[in-house]
Amino acid sequence: MPDPAARAPLATSEPTVTAIYTRLLACLAALDQARVEPKETSVHFVRTIGFAGVSPRKSALILNVRLDHALESERPWRSEQVSKHRWHHEFRLEQPDDVDEEIVELLREAYALAG
Protein backbone atom coordinates (compact mmCIF):
# COMPACT_ATOMS: atom_id res chain seq x y z
CA MET A 1 0.00 0.00 0.00
CA PRO A 2 1.30 3.49 -0.80
CA ASP A 3 2.45 5.69 2.07
CA PRO A 4 -0.31 7.74 3.78
CA ALA A 5 0.68 11.09 2.24
CA ALA A 6 0.63 9.64 -1.26
CA ARG A 7 -2.76 7.97 -0.66
CA ALA A 8 -4.72 11.22 -0.31
CA PRO A 9 -5.18 11.81 -4.07
CA LEU A 10 -6.44 8.21 -4.36
CA ALA A 11 -9.14 8.61 -1.70
CA THR A 12 -12.11 8.51 -4.10
CA SER A 13 -10.64 5.98 -6.51
CA GLU A 14 -11.57 2.33 -6.83
CA PRO A 15 -9.19 -0.32 -5.37
CA THR A 16 -7.94 -1.15 -8.87
CA VAL A 17 -6.51 2.38 -9.15
CA THR A 18 -4.58 1.89 -5.90
CA ALA A 19 -3.24 -1.41 -7.28
CA ILE A 20 -2.07 0.36 -10.47
CA TYR A 21 -0.39 3.06 -8.37
CA THR A 22 1.30 0.48 -6.15
CA ARG A 23 2.68 -1.24 -9.25
CA LEU A 24 4.05 2.07 -10.57
CA LEU A 25 5.74 2.72 -7.22
CA ALA A 26 7.40 -0.71 -7.40
CA CYS A 27 8.82 0.21 -10.82
CA LEU A 28 10.07 3.55 -9.50
CA ALA A 29 11.84 1.85 -6.59
CA ALA A 30 14.48 0.65 -9.07
CA LEU A 31 15.31 4.28 -9.95
CA ASP A 32 17.80 5.39 -7.29
CA GLN A 33 17.00 9.07 -6.93
CA ALA A 34 13.29 9.10 -7.83
CA ARG A 35 11.13 10.90 -5.29
CA VAL A 36 7.36 10.76 -4.91
CA GLU A 37 5.79 14.16 -4.23
CA PRO A 38 2.07 14.00 -3.39
CA LYS A 39 0.00 17.06 -4.30
CA GLU A 40 -3.65 17.76 -3.55
CA THR A 41 -5.08 15.94 -6.59
CA SER A 42 -2.03 14.29 -8.16
CA VAL A 43 1.36 12.76 -7.42
CA HIS A 44 4.58 13.90 -9.09
CA PHE A 45 7.61 11.70 -9.70
CA VAL A 46 10.79 13.76 -9.46
CA ARG A 47 14.53 13.32 -9.93
CA THR A 48 16.13 16.80 -10.13
CA ILE A 49 13.02 17.88 -12.06
CA GLY A 50 9.69 16.19 -12.59
CA PHE A 51 9.76 13.35 -15.09
CA ALA A 52 6.27 11.89 -14.68
CA GLY A 53 3.12 12.19 -12.66
CA VAL A 54 -0.22 10.57 -12.04
CA SER A 55 -3.73 11.94 -11.70
CA PRO A 56 -6.17 9.48 -10.17
CA ARG A 57 -9.67 9.12 -11.51
CA LYS A 58 -12.45 6.99 -10.04
CA SER A 59 -11.64 3.93 -12.20
CA ALA A 60 -8.32 4.78 -13.88
CA LEU A 61 -4.97 6.43 -13.34
CA ILE A 62 -3.74 9.02 -15.84
CA LEU A 63 0.04 8.74 -16.18
CA ASN A 64 1.84 11.73 -17.68
CA VAL A 65 5.37 10.98 -18.92
CA ARG A 66 7.66 13.84 -20.00
CA LEU A 67 9.98 13.03 -22.89
CA ASP A 68 12.03 14.91 -25.47
CA HIS A 69 10.34 13.40 -28.52
CA ALA A 70 7.05 12.29 -30.01
CA LEU A 71 6.08 8.64 -29.65
CA GLU A 72 5.42 6.33 -32.58
CA SER A 73 3.08 4.24 -30.42
CA GLU A 74 -0.68 4.75 -30.65
CA ARG A 75 -1.00 3.83 -26.98
CA PRO A 76 -0.89 7.35 -25.47
CA TRP A 77 -4.33 8.67 -24.63
CA ARG A 78 -3.06 12.15 -25.46
CA SER A 79 0.28 13.64 -26.55
CA GLU A 80 1.24 17.29 -26.60
CA GLN A 81 4.39 19.10 -27.63
CA VAL A 82 4.82 21.75 -24.92
CA SER A 83 8.11 23.23 -26.15
CA LYS A 84 10.74 22.61 -28.81
CA HIS A 85 12.28 19.64 -26.96
CA ARG A 86 9.54 18.60 -24.54
CA TRP A 87 6.55 16.33 -25.01
CA HIS A 88 3.93 15.27 -22.49
CA HIS A 89 2.41 11.86 -23.16
CA GLU A 90 -0.64 10.75 -21.19
CA PHE A 91 -1.63 7.13 -20.71
CA ARG A 92 -4.94 5.97 -19.26
CA LEU A 93 -4.12 2.99 -17.04
CA GLU A 94 -7.20 0.94 -16.12
CA GLN A 95 -5.66 -2.32 -14.84
CA PRO A 96 -2.41 -3.15 -13.02
CA ASP A 97 -1.27 -5.10 -16.10
CA ASP A 98 -1.34 -1.81 -18.05
CA VAL A 99 1.94 -1.05 -16.24
CA ASP A 100 3.87 -3.20 -18.68
CA GLU A 101 7.41 -3.16 -20.10
CA GLU A 102 6.55 -0.30 -22.49
CA ILE A 103 5.44 1.93 -19.60
CA VAL A 104 8.43 0.93 -17.47
CA GLU A 105 10.84 1.73 -20.31
CA LEU A 106 9.21 5.14 -20.88
CA LEU A 107 9.54 5.90 -17.16
CA ARG A 108 13.24 4.96 -17.28
CA GLU A 109 13.76 7.19 -20.31
CA ALA A 110 11.96 10.13 -18.69
CA TYR A 111 13.93 9.59 -15.46
CA ALA A 112 17.22 9.69 -17.42
CA LEU A 113 16.20 12.97 -19.07
CA ALA A 114 15.42 14.49 -15.67
CA GLY A 115 18.98 13.98 -14.42
Side-chain angles (χ1 to χ4, degrees):
M1 188 60 136
D3 69 75
R7 263 187 268 167
L10 304 171
T12 60
S13 298
E14 295 175 358
T16 302
V17 176
T18 302
I20 296 165
Y21 181 69
T22 301
R23 191 154 180 182
L24 280 172
L25 290 181
C27 295
L28 292 173
L31 306 175
D32 293 344
Q33 300 170 10
R35 293 187 323 273
V36 175
E37 295 184 356
K39 305 298 180 188
E40 188 173 327
T41 60
S42 63
V43 180
H44 297 180
F45 304 138
V46 178
R47 188 173 183 185
T48 54
I49 61 171
F51 64 91
V54 292
S55 298
R57 301 294 188 261
K58 182 171 178 63
S59 61
L61 195 65
I62 307 302
L63 171 66
N64 182 314
V65 180
R66 298 175 189 137
L67 298 172
D68 63 354
H69 59 86
L71 292 176
E72 299 284 326
S73 171
E74 292 184 20
R75 187 167 175 197
W77 179 49
R78 182 168 66 191
S79 291
E80 177 183 16
Q81 185 173 11
V82 296
S83 67
K84 185 176 180 181
H85 297 290
R86 185 69 56 212
W87 287 77
H88 289 186
H89 302 286
E90 290 186 359
F91 300 84
R92 185 176 177 87
L93 307 176
E94 297 178 332
Q95 298 295 323
D97 288 345
D98 290 345
V99 183
D100 58 11
E101 189 55 40
E102 179 183 10
I103 294 294
V104 172
E105 188 53 41
L106 291 171
L107 287 171
R108 284 186 197 126
E109 183 179 347
Y111 173 82
L113 288 170

